[in-house]
Amino acid sequence: MITRLSHLFLRTLRDDPADAEALSHKLLVRAGYIRRVAPGVYSWLPLGLRTLRRVEQVVREEMDASGAQEISLPALLPREPYETSGRWTEYGSELFRFTDRKGNDVMLGPTHEEIFTLTVQGEYSSYKDLPVTLYQIQTKYRDEERPRAGILRGREFTMKDSYSFDLDDAGLERSYREHRATYQRIFDRLGIEYEICAATSGAMGGSASEEFLAISEAGEDTFVRSTDGRYAANIEAVVTPAPPTRPVDGLPAAVVHDTPDAPTIDTLVAWANSADLGREVTAADTLKNVMLKVREPGGEWELLGIGVPGDREVDMKRVEASLEPAEVAVLDESDFESHPFLVKGYIGPRALVENEVRFLVDPRVVDGTSWITGADAQGRHVVDLVCGRDFTPDGTIEAADVREGDAAPEGHGTLTLARGIEIGHIFQLGRKYTDAFGFDVLGENGKPVRVTMGSYGIGVTRLVAALAEQYADDKGLVWPPEAAPADVHVVIANKDEAAITGAAGLVEVLDAAGLEVLFDDRKASPGVKFKDAELIGVPWIVVVGRGWSDGTVEVRERATGEVIQVPVDGASDEIVRLIRSAS
């Protein structure tokens, strides 16, 4: 197909949009791929839509090759299925909810586990029908509180979501592995650099969960990799190695000290090192107790204390991931006023235990470890408070921040931190949704079998942004061949009629050879055309310019900047060869 820029609905911009921070956002707007309609809502213009569709096609081809079958479900959904699963409440404020003219509660679909489950349940009733995997590529809606970075975090986006239905856990494991391999093929074809990371399941539920993160500083996700290369995880799913427990016999007794003007960890450490405790004290020797309130879906707010070593901060994203689907908030002044046993700056484990406040601690806080912490009275701390002797927490929680150089789980060296864009997520859901809807099939022995599920998502619009982030340079976008809106961009850079006629003929031959051709036939200066070609980012640029009269055309590889002079005679064959050999 030939697309003439003289007719293309396209307007490139020389300046970055004022609201853009991420590189992909700036370039996709400047190159005329997308336009903002509202916060987190974008229109796709012709070049952008072509790129989106080509990425979709890679996803579709690999999903089809895996044996999955494509269907299309509605985006407008009734409340009842999500009420049954509990997610009408669990999803919280991210759902777009409203009422139709008959007073029925409806929503715009953020994801479709419930509807896929009901769809398969309505059609299949025997073990002979399974396994089956269905997928769709569809617009999703989430009322993001802070949409950002253009299409990286929007309120409306395109996602591929697929679901496997199996008779047993072994079947689910096979489906999960097949999806994992399929995702690797998709991302490898697109040429994206990514890491597969252990992840939390969140509101999706289920057990095993992995994320595919495109490596990029523009990403919102922080992830870790071990120095031996055998462990990777989203920061929210990092497992903290717990030290061995220690005997409590013979440890010094806990002693309460007056610690005036020591409400912070820094002031507490300063006091400890001036109090002649017989050892040097660091922040890691103190226990910081952070108070939160937690509300389960449909429940009431309850207090929660979290204890972490004083040299660590509480990472709220890790807390929220650990407690999901519960809602989490920091205490305000009224909360402290209604719970006078909480003495700000001096909170300790004892008052929490005595007042039946759930108290969870960092995995490093094990039996036999001794701490300096609050004594639950103004200006007082306790020294040598021993876990397992003087207080017993209700459990552990992954809440502390993760740092470069921390120990990796299972002896995999230490951790390094990086940032990434979530482009895929796979879950072993198990029977959460089939239990909710009572989805059984008749087993081979004539008895009912509860079906087990997997859920697998790819953010298609995010993939476009991630590719833009990874491949762009200081001149503009640089698309890999599988995602580009065209295979070759032909530029007329000569007013000579023979060159113009020759360029038109070359374009016709390239089209006949099966290439998608972007043809810049505009009456604009060569400089404008070159800048637009670099900004738009098609992998190959062919320039019909001053060399035409000497019998050559110029072929530029956009990614490397390499320039090849190709004879006019046989130019089309050589251009086709170059493009296809590089794909």
Side-chain angles (χ1 to χ4, degrees):
M1 185 179 76
I2 302 171
T3 301
R4 298 174 181 272
L5 263 68
S6 59
H7 294 89
L8 182 65
F9 187 68
L10 173 70
R11 183 74 68 225
T12 58
L13 307 175
R14 293 293 168 245
D15 297 321
D16 294 333
D19 64 332
E21 297 177 1
L23 180 61
S24 58
H25 188 188
K26 296 174 183 177
L27 293 178
L28 289 169
V29 172
R30 284 185 51 210
Y33 281 65
I34 61 173
R35 288 291 183 263
R36 181 182 182 275
V37 174
V41 182
Y42 285 82
S43 297
W44 291 82
L45 304 187
L47 289 181
L49 188 60
R50 284 194 197 177
T51 298
L52 180 66
R53 293 289 181 255
R54 291 192 77 166
V55 171
E56 283 182 10
Q57 191 56 30
V58 171
V59 173
R60 181 173 283 111
E61 288 172 3
E62 294 298 338
M63 289 301 300
D64 290 346
S66 75
Q69 302 174 61
E70 185 173 7
I71 65 174
S72 180
L73 297 177
L76 182 65
L77 304 171
R79 172 176 179 162
E80 288 75 14
Y82 290 82
E83 192 75 68
T84 300
S85 69
R87 291 206 299 174
W88 180 265
T89 303
E90 285 179 16
Y91 250 110
S93 57
E94 280 195 7
L95 279 185
F96 279 106
R97 301 177 177 90
F98 53 100
T99 304
D100 67 17
R101 66 176 65 196
K102 294 184 177 180
N104 298 310
D105 287 331
V106 291
M107 60 183 275
L108 295 176
T111 183
H112 278 68
E113 280 76 7
E114 288 84 350
I115 309 304
F116 268 89
T117 305
L118 290 172
T119 299
V120 177
Q121 184 179 24
E123 305 297 324
Y124 282 174
S125 58
S126 169
Y127 75 94
K128 297 177 182 178
D129 298 322
L130 301 179
V132 66
T133 297
L134 304 175
Y135 78 97
Q136 63 177 347
I137 299 175
Q138 190 217 47
T139 303
K140 307 288 187 183
Y141 302 88
R142 293 179 190 171
D143 192 5
E144 293 283 354
E145 183 178 4
R146 289 180 293 274
R148 61 173 291 274
I151 58 173
L152 269 177
R153 179 165 289 279
R155 303 168 80 198
E156 174 183 295
F157 53 93
T158 302
M159 188 171 86
K160 187 285 303 177
D161 52 330
S162 52
Y163 304 86
S164 62
F165 296 83
D166 285 277
L167 289 169
D168 52 32
D169 292 342
L172 171 58
E173 179 64 31
R174 286 191 295 272
S175 295
Y176 186 88
R177 287 199 306 269
E178 177 59 40
H179 264 85
R180 196 178 194 272
T182 298
Y183 277 29
Q184 290 175 282
R185 290 193 294 271
I186 289 168
F187 300 140
D188 290 344
R189 273 185 64 180
L190 290 169
I192 201 158
E193 184 183 4
Y194 64 94
E195 188 77 53
I196 305 175
C197 298
T200 58
S201 296
M204 301 288 285
S207 52
S209 171
E210 290 176 294
E211 286 179 343
F212 292 74
L213 297 178
I215 299 168
S216 170
E217 282 301 311
E220 287 189 324
D221 288 87
T222 302
F223 68 97
V224 300
R225 290 179 281 197
S226 63
T227 48
D228 71 357
R230 296 167 58 196
Y231 175 80
N234 187 297
I235 202 83
E236 298 167 14
V238 172
V239 177
T240 302
T245 59
R246 309 171 190 174
V248 299
D249 295 340
L251 292 178
V255 178
V256 175
H257 292 259
D258 289 324
T259 55
D261 301 319
T264 67
I265 296 298
D266 287 343
T267 54
L268 178 60
V269 170
W271 169 84
N273 286 318
S274 67
D276 193 23
L277 297 179
R279 64 185 187 276
E280 182 181 358
V281 172
T282 69
D285 300 312
T286 69
L287 184 64
K288 178 191 300 182
N289 301 302
V290 176
M291 295 307 302
L292 303 171
K293 55 184 178 182
V294 178
R295 179 168 61 186
E296 297 291 339
E300 300 293 328
W301 286 108
E302 296 181 356
L303 293 180
L304 172 66
I306 294 179
V308 298
D311 63 334
R312 300 274 169 171
E313 298 298 328
V314 169
D315 184 330
M316 286 302 293
K317 289 186 73 173
R318 280 169 55 77
V319 171
E320 290 165 356
S322 296
L323 298 175
E324 221 166 9
E327 185 179 356
V328 182
V330 178
L331 300 194
D332 56 29
E333 286 301 323
S334 64
D335 294 312
F336 282 100
E337 290 172 3
S338 59
H339 299 91
F341 62 87
L342 298 176
V343 183
K344 291 175 70 174
Y346 301 91
I347 297 170
R350 286 174 166 172
L352 301 180
V353 173
E354 289 170 1
N355 288 275
E356 298 183 343
V357 175
R358 187 159 61 119
F359 182 52
L360 304 177
V361 296
D362 182 86
R364 301 172 185 86
V365 183
V366 298
D367 285 356
T369 53
S370 182
W371 304 92
I372 302 174
T373 190
D376 307 302
Q378 188 68 35
R380 309 200 82 189
H381 282 87
V382 58
V383 176
D384 292 326
L385 194 74
V386 175
C387 181
R389 183 192 71 183
D390 303 314
F391 72 96
T392 301
D394 295 303
T396 61
I397 185 172
E398 293 290 354
D401 59 353
V402 177
R403 299 176 183 172
E404 191 95 13
D406 280 351
E410 300 179 8
H412 292 312
T414 58
L415 299 177
T416 61
L417 273 65
R419 296 193 67 79
I421 300 165
E422 183 185 341
I423 51 175
H425 205 153
I426 56 178
F427 304 85
Q428 289 189 29
L429 288 180
R431 295 169 179 82
K432 173 178 178 177
Y433 297 96
T434 54
D435 281 345
F437 296 105
F439 181 14
D440 295 332
V441 295
L442 198 63
E444 192 170 6
N445 61 1
K447 296 181 179 179
V449 176
R450 183 61 45 92
V451 175
T452 186
M453 290 174 60
S455 174
Y456 319 90
I458 287 178
V460 180
T461 47
R462 275 195 179 181
L463 263 178
V464 174
L467 288 167
E469 290 286 343
Q470 288 190 350
Y471 279 88
D473 61 18
D474 59 352
K475 296 177 182 177
L477 298 164
V478 186
W479 296 111
E482 291 274 16
D487 299 311
V488 60
H489 187 153
V490 178
V491 176
I492 301 176
N494 193 323
K495 295 182 179 179
D496 181 75
E497 285 299 324
I500 294 171
T501 302
L506 177 62
V507 165
E508 294 287 347
V509 176
L510 294 176
D511 173 53
L515 297 182
E516 297 271 354
V517 184
L518 196 60
F519 183 27
D520 195 344
D521 60 342
R522 297 175 298 173
K523 297 184 184 301
S525 71
V528 168
K529 292 182 177 183
F530 293 150
K531 283 186 178 297
D532 280 350
E534 290 169 337
L535 179 61
I536 288 168
V538 172
W540 294 90
I541 302 170
V542 175
V543 180
V544 178
R546 286 177 295 182
W548 182 266
S549 59
D550 298 327
T552 62
V553 296
E554 184 178 285
V555 181
R556 301 180 183 179
E557 187 175 8
R558 177 66 183 86
T560 64
E562 182 182 0
V563 177
I564 305 168
Q565 299 295 333
V566 175
V568 169
D569 291 338
S572 59
D573 290 341
E574 180 61 13
I575 292 167
V576 170
R577 187 193 68 78
L578 286 169
I579 292 172
R580 290 185 173 159
S581 64
S583 298

